[in-house]
Amino acid sequence: MTYNRNTFRRILVCATAATLLCTGFAGCSDSNSSDSESGVNIAMEDLEYGATMRDDDSRAVPLEYDKRFLEDGELDALANYYASIQNEDVELFQSCTVEKYMESLYENAYGGLLDDNAYVTQQKESYEKQLSGDIHFSQILVNDCLKQDETGSNAEYLTGMLNELNEDSNYCTDHMESCKTLTVQPVLTNGTDTVYCDEVTVFLIELDNQYYVCA
């Protein structure tokens, strides 16, 4: 049996969490002394991302994530984004992406040659090149999640871009409630074979009480 490096990472994190929990339970009849003697008293919310991963088949595509770090609306937006590509559903794609962000992407990365329809088709075709047959996402793995103020989130890149696109230096201050940086790994299947795609960075943002994906 073979495992990719993210599988090893999740196994290691979960094993660490289990060890900490077991240590915390030892000698529970005298909690004050056991905490002091063991030197371990870590609350679940203080464990790093990946300690409480869960599988979720209730959304547009199956997800795996740590629920402590993500809200239902964020998860729906992420699932809808990948479902829109899988099913080439442009209307769904537009509901979970930021129009000005996508227009800027088309102009700067594709020379203005694409629109939403063409982009969704291009993304679907890029996945079809990785696995033949009738493919779909068997799971979207959320391997990491950083909040806006955490080192390495690169949120300042996105907020600066959105401010510039809206010609308002305070746009994100006034309209953005949250910004999270996800490390996402799509998993493809054709019913027989499975392919773990390369990890990609995805921003999940909340603008005016709506959640969007910027990828």
Side-chain angles (χ1 to χ4, degrees):
M1 181 179 295
T2 59
Y3 298 96
N4 70 358
R5 63 188 180 87
N6 291 305
T7 301
F8 277 120
R9 179 179 180 274
R10 289 192 291 274
I11 291 173
L12 179 60
V13 170
C14 291
T16 301
T19 301
L20 292 173
L21 289 173
C22 289
T23 305
F25 283 131
C28 61
S29 59
D30 187 356
S31 59
N32 291 332
S33 61
S34 68
D35 286 344
S36 172
E37 292 168 3
S38 68
V40 176
N41 186 18
I42 300 178
M44 184 63 70
E45 60 267 21
D46 294 329
L47 294 173
E48 69 176 75
Y49 184 91
T52 58
M53 298 294 280
R54 61 169 293 186
D55 294 323
D56 183 354
D57 296 329
S58 68
R59 305 178 198 275
V61 297
L63 305 175
E64 182 185 80
Y65 55 89
D66 192 327
K67 184 65 174 71
R68 296 171 303 149
F69 288 73
L70 294 158
E71 304 293 334
D72 279 336
E74 294 170 325
L75 294 165
D76 283 337
L78 181 66
N80 287 342
Y81 175 80
Y82 281 99
S84 71
I85 294 172
Q86 173 179 278
N87 303 320
E88 296 185 76
D89 186 336
V90 177
E91 185 175 348
L92 182 61
F93 178 83
Q94 292 172 337
S95 74
C96 59
T97 54
V98 180
E99 182 178 1
K100 289 187 177 181
Y101 175 89
M102 296 309 302
E103 289 176 349
S104 176
L105 177 67
Y106 301 149
E107 183 63 33
N108 293 295
Y110 299 98
L113 298 176
L114 298 186
D115 57 13
D116 289 338
N117 285 277
Y119 182 76
V120 168
T121 298
Q122 184 241 42
Q123 290 295 297
K124 177 65 177 292
E125 290 175 347
S126 71
Y127 285 114
E128 289 176 334
K129 291 177 182 178
Q130 301 186 52
L131 186 64
S132 61
D134 184 15
I135 66 167
H136 64 275
F137 294 112
S138 61
Q139 200 167 45
I140 303 298
L141 307 178
V142 183
N143 292 327
D144 202 4
C145 174
L146 296 175
K147 294 182 180 179
Q148 185 171 348
D149 58 354
E150 290 188 85
T151 302
S153 72
N154 292 320
E156 66 278 4
Y157 159 78
L158 181 63
T159 56
M161 180 181 181
L162 292 175
N163 285 343
E164 183 177 346
L165 291 173
N166 287 278
E167 300 180 349
D168 180 357
S169 61
N170 293 314
Y171 176 80
C172 287
T173 300
D174 296 338
H175 297 273
M176 180 183 287
E177 286 79 22
S178 67
C179 176
K180 296 177 182 177
T181 306
L182 309 185
T183 301
V184 172
Q185 185 175 32
V187 183
L188 292 172
T189 184
N190 58 10
T192 302
D193 300 314
T194 298
V195 170
Y196 287 75
C197 303
D198 291 339
E199 287 185 335
V200 294
T201 298
V202 172
F203 293 104
L204 266 180
I205 63 175
E206 183 181 2
L207 288 175
D208 298 325
N209 300 314
Q210 296 291 326
Y211 292 103
Y212 300 96
V213 170
C214 294

